[in-house]
Structures are given as structure tokens and as C-alpha cells.
Amino acid sequence: MGSLEETCASLRAQITATEEQLAGLKRDLANAEQAAQSDSATTTTAGNEHNDRNGHGRRWPLLQEEYKRYGRQMIVSQVGLKGQLKLRSARILLVGAGGLGCPAAQYLAGAGVGTIGLIDGDTVEVSNLHRQVLHRTKNVGKYKVDSAIESLRELNPHPTYIAHRTHLMPDEALAIFQNYDLILDCTDNPATRYLISDTAVLTGKPLVSASALRTEGQLMVLNDPPRAPGDKSGGPCYRCVFPRPPPADSVVSCADGGILGPVVGTMGVLQALEAIKVITAPDADVAGGAASTPRNPPALHVFSAYSSPLVRTIRLRSRRANCAVCSAEATVTLDTIKSGSTDYVFFCGSAILPSLLGPEERISAREYYEKYPGVSAVSQPHTVIDVRDKGQFEICSLENSLNIPISDILASGLTKPQAADAEQEAPTLPSWLPSELVSESSNPIYVVCRLGNDSQIVVKKMKELGLDQNGQRFIGDIRGGLRSWKEQVDSEWPEY
């Protein structure tokens, strides 16, 4: 019976997906027919003059509606009619349709960029909606690129939108990049950043790179102007700025570290601005994607929402003499990328944290709940330490748990409590450690975090401080953290 129900559910899901695809094709057809009718009407009004994308053979190079739509930016001296025509002919690829890609694509479409490609293999989730402004609640579960293009077409039907429903892979990156003039890196993981930068250099495309986390963001224009490896006049690449990736266990995503929506939105809008500046530069060749000389010296712009000033600029050096991709000593080539011999995941390290504790040092959320079913720490003495930051602890927490943020624990070092002597009335304790945890009590200590990673680190630290009394006192973590608590114990537990 269960197998039949699963089959029915699978068929319903396939029907739903097919219906959505059909609806998308119908929208595309309607837009194409409308565009054809508009072109036909314009051609008739203009005396049957030829009406192609660049306006050859017409009295005016843009459609009447385009003059109205883009007029406010065309009267800006740095853009003008020439700049608008360059935008109309430009092909821009955005890698990522999330917090950075959405506002960047929105402003590029609004500015009249002729072709906008979006590459992303993820689907829309409810947790995306507070910052990924092209997506709508009705599109939860839909491919992000399809959801984004649906919104972009409503904003501006003139550009050509191309959906790449996949994650960027080394064996496909070269073929995709060759079809565009300019690349925007709107991703959030180091391995993909290096792949994007390397491919941009080797295909001769300028790159606008941005990142955002919590309340801060960074922005750079790289490989501008684009030059072949070994040409010192080219702009630096991502490897020139960061020749070594950060330690894998130090990389924090928006899902783990949090993000303030307007912060990532600001960085995405700045990416669109830099892209427009690259395309409309006075001596820019749209086919080449950038000016023959850099518009400004290469720089890293650091945005901080709660600092004054909001933006600091750090000047960058030119290309590194020993860069692995853009120097005369390059070891990363088109062949090494396409063949897979340049292993980006290996280079950046695994993002999956290894298990630091043995099975005997961990307890599942269900096991903990069954061991202490509704009892208080008084009736069945034990301690639960929640190592999330204060903001997360205020969102939700286990009853009677003690909040000690992991940042406080790691900042204090590993100094063991010192025994009291004649001149010292009490042991020396780390600032984060409550005195009651150093007592001779053998009551167990359970550590919990959001996902079950930080809790393992804290258990190890506490044992290094000798709080387990040479193995006489249990110190362990709740495996899988509070996410497993929702899955195994309380389905109404807030998920954030």
C-alpha cells in the first residue's frame, strides 16, 4: 500500500512540474508574440524600415518605448545614447540567483542590458524571501532562475533572459562563459569563487565579485581590463587577492552566520552599478566586455552596516607575478579546468566538518528527551549549555538551558583552572565558565548548538579544561543540535 501511495505522490509531483513548465512555455510564447507584434507595428510606422536589435536601418536607434523607459539614465552624461546602446548589446552572466544575484539582475534588467543569463541549481525556499527580492511566496519550490526570470520579465520584457538550471561545474563553465561579455560572481562558497575567477581570466571576461555575511560585505572588480595570462597590464584576479583559500572550518554561510537583507541587497546593487560602469566606459568594447585601460585602480570595497563610514576602500596591487592563473607561470589552464585536474573542492578543503566526538560522547535529541522527560534540572540534576549567540538563544531555547556563546569560549583560550593556594582564595577560571561547573559534582553536562558542529568543539574544550574529572563526569553534546530537536522531539520548534 505504501509503495502505491509513493507512486501516486511521485506522479502528482511530475504532473505539477510539467504543468509549471507548460505554463512557462506559454508565457514565453505570449511574450514572443507580443514582441513580434510590437516590432511589426514599429516597422510599419517607420515606413517598413528594417528593425533589428541595434536599430540599423531605422531613423532612431531605439524604440519609442525604450526612449521613455531609459530616458532618465540616458541623460546622465556618463551613459548617454552611446552607453545605452552598449548596454543593449551587452551579454551579462550572473552566477547565483540568490541574495546578491536578485538585486543585481533586477537593476541590470531595469537598465536595459540586452541579454541576462542566470545560473543556479537551487530552488526557492521560504528562508530566502527576506533578502532574495525577485522571488515570491508562490514560487517556493521552483528553480530560482525560473522564479527570477518571471519577475524580471514583468519588470522589463525587452532583454533576452537565459536560464541555466544547474550549479556551475568546471566542465561546463568554459562553454557558458564564452557566450557572455561580463561575469558577476553572486555565489557564497570559496570553491565556486575560484572557479569563476579562473574561468573569467582564461576566457577574457571582466568579473564583478561580491560577498555578504551578517552586517558586512565586500566588492571587487577583477580582471579589468581582461588580459591573457602573463600580460601584466591586465587587472588582478581573485587568486591575486586571495592566493590561498580560508580554512574550510572557518567558512560561514548565510544559513549559519545569518544575513541582514539590506546588506546583501546593497552589495548586489553595487555589483550592478560596477557592471554598468564597465560596459558603458568611454573606450569599452562590448564584445570584449571592458575598456582597454582600467577605469580606476583595482580596489577592495568593504561595507559595514554599523560602522562609520559605511564603506572603506583598500587599494589592491596589480597581478601577482606568481599567480597560478594570470601570471606567466600559470599552472591553471583551460585544459586543467575542463579535465577536472584543477580540483577546486580539494584546493578549498571540505566544507563538511568531521565528527570530533565518539559515539559514547554524543546523545540524540530523542534519547535526551526520553532520559529527561519533562523533568527539571533540580529533580534530575544535569546542565544543558547552549553555545549559540545571544540573538539565536532569544529566538528559542531548551528549558533551563544556560547560554554561553561559543565566541566567548574560543576567545578565552585554554587556561586550565588553577588550584587555590595560600595567597589565592579560589581557582582561576576562564571568564565564560560558571563556578558551579567546576565543583566536585558529577552531574552530567550536555552541550547543544544549532546544527551539532559547534557543540562538539565546546565539548572538547571543556574536557581539555579537566571539567570531566578524568572521565568520571559525562560531558557530551546533543547530536544534530536544535535542528534534530525539531525533527525528533518537537515539530513546532521554530526553524530559522
Side-chain angles (χ1 to χ4, degrees):
M1 186 68 180
S3 178
L4 288 175
E5 290 177 350
E6 291 177 0
T7 300
C8 291
S10 176
L11 289 172
R12 291 191 193 99
Q14 292 180 46
I15 290 171
T16 300
T18 303
E19 288 176 343
E20 290 179 353
Q21 185 178 9
L22 178 60
L25 291 172
K26 288 181 177 179
R27 286 193 298 269
D28 291 345
L29 176 60
N31 289 333
E33 290 176 341
Q34 184 178 0
Q37 292 174 0
S38 175
D39 281 353
S40 177
T42 303
T43 301
T44 301
T45 303
N48 294 322
E49 294 179 351
H50 182 60
N51 177 17
D52 67 2
R53 183 181 184 86
N54 295 315
H56 297 310
R58 281 207 311 265
R59 181 181 179 187
W60 306 109
L62 297 176
L63 300 175
Q64 286 298 316
E65 197 271 341
E66 290 180 296
Y67 282 103
K68 292 182 179 179
R69 181 181 288 267
Y70 310 126
R72 295 298 186 275
Q73 72 184 29
M74 288 169 60
I75 61 178
V76 175
S77 61
Q78 288 88 342
V79 179
L81 176 61
K82 289 183 179 180
Q84 191 61 50
L85 291 173
K86 288 179 180 180
L87 290 171
R88 198 175 194 241
S89 300
R91 300 173 61 87
I92 297 180
L93 175 67
L94 293 87
V95 185
L100 292 167
C102 281
Q106 198 166 25
Y107 275 91
L108 290 174
V113 170
T115 300
I116 297 175
L118 292 167
I119 178 168
D120 199 313
D122 290 339
T123 56
V124 179
E125 300 178 2
V126 172
S127 61
N128 302 148
L129 300 179
H130 88 283
R131 66 192 184 281
Q132 299 180 15
V133 293
L134 286 177
H135 307 311
R136 301 292 179 262
T137 302
K138 67 177 182 178
N139 285 340
V140 169
K142 195 172 185 176
Y143 273 113
K144 285 186 177 180
V145 290
D146 293 334
S147 172
I149 289 174
E150 179 181 311
S151 295
L152 292 174
R153 283 201 177 108
E154 292 179 359
L155 172 65
N156 190 351
H158 293 288
T160 298
Y161 301 104
I162 301 175
H164 301 275
R165 302 175 187 87
T166 180
H167 296 292
L168 186 67
M169 303 301 292
D171 58 342
E172 301 173 342
L174 298 172
I176 293 174
F177 279 33
Q178 287 171 351
N179 294 320
Y180 295 91
D181 306 315
L182 175 66
I183 313 299
L184 269 64
D185 179 355
C186 305
T187 63
D188 63 356
N189 71 86
T192 306
R193 290 190 179 281
Y194 282 100
L195 169 60
I196 292 171
S197 177
D198 292 352
T199 308
V201 170
L202 296 173
T203 54
K205 315 296 180 181
L207 170 66
V208 183
S209 177
S211 62
L213 183 67
R214 298 189 179 96
T215 62
E216 298 183 345
Q218 295 182 353
L219 174 74
M220 294 180 290
V221 179
L222 302 169
N223 197 40
D224 178 33
R227 292 290 183 269
D231 189 336
K232 296 181 180 179
S233 66
C237 70
Y238 194 79
R239 285 183 187 266
C240 292
V241 183
F242 303 109
R244 297 183 185 83
D249 57 3
S250 70
V251 177
V252 181
S253 68
C254 292
D256 295 332
I259 184 68
L260 196 60
V263 171
V264 69
T266 297
M267 304 316 298
V269 171
L270 289 176
Q271 278 187 285
L273 174 61
E274 292 298 329
I276 291 171
K277 288 162 65 178
V278 169
I279 294 296
T280 61
D283 55 345
D285 174 12
V286 173
S292 57
T293 57
R295 297 166 290 104
N296 295 300
L300 169 65
H301 305 286
V302 181
F303 175 87
S304 182
Y306 288 90
S307 296
S308 182
L310 288 173
V311 180
R312 293 181 296 112
T313 297
I314 303 170
R315 184 160 181 177
L316 300 176
R317 295 180 178 178
S318 56
R319 288 182 167 183
R320 295 175 65 93
N322 61 346
C323 178
V325 68
C326 68
S327 72
E329 303 175 6
T331 56
V332 178
T333 66
L334 293 173
D335 289 336
T336 64
I337 294 178
K338 195 169 184 178
S339 66
S341 58
T342 299
D343 191 331
Y344 291 94
V345 174
F346 177 79
F347 175 66
C348 294
S350 174
I352 301 175
L353 293 176
S355 178
L356 302 178
L357 304 178
E360 72 283 356
E361 299 174 285
R362 314 195 74 185
I363 186 172
S364 71
R366 183 176 295 279
E367 289 171 338
Y368 172 84
Y369 180 73
E370 291 174 349
K371 189 171 185 178
Y372 303 100
V375 303
S376 68
V378 176
S379 59
Q380 201 165 340
H382 67 284
T383 301
V384 179
I385 298 177
D386 188 325
V387 297
R388 296 173 299 157
D389 62 42
K390 182 179 179 181
Q392 294 187 57
F393 186 76
E394 290 175 348
I395 294 174
C396 55
S397 61
L398 297 178
E399 186 176 358
N400 296 319
S401 58
L402 178 65
N403 183 217
I404 307 177
I406 188 174
S407 56
D408 295 346
I409 297 174
L410 297 180
S412 66
L414 289 175
T415 304
K416 289 187 177 182
Q418 302 295 319
D421 54 29
E423 299 179 358
Q424 188 174 343
E425 297 181 357
T428 302
L429 303 175
S431 59
W432 60 268
L433 186 62
S435 58
E436 58 266 25
L437 295 184
V438 192
S439 66
E440 296 300 321
S441 169
S442 60
N443 294 336
I445 298 175
Y446 300 92
V447 183
V448 68
C449 64
R450 186 182 178 198
L451 302 174
N453 296 323
D454 290 348
S455 57
Q456 296 185 69
I457 297 173
V458 172
V459 168
K460 296 284 287 185
K461 298 294 184 187
M462 295 180 74
K463 288 190 174 184
E464 291 172 9
L465 289 170
L467 299 180
D468 64 338
Q469 301 170 7
N470 294 319
Q472 300 302 308
R473 180 190 210 177
F474 174 83
I475 301 179
D477 84 321
I478 297 178
R479 187 171 56 249
L482 294 173
R483 178 171 292 180
S484 68
W485 186 267
K486 176 179 178 65
E487 295 171 351
Q488 301 175 21
V489 178
D490 184 0
S491 61
E492 296 183 356
W493 187 266
E495 182 177 1
Y496 61 93

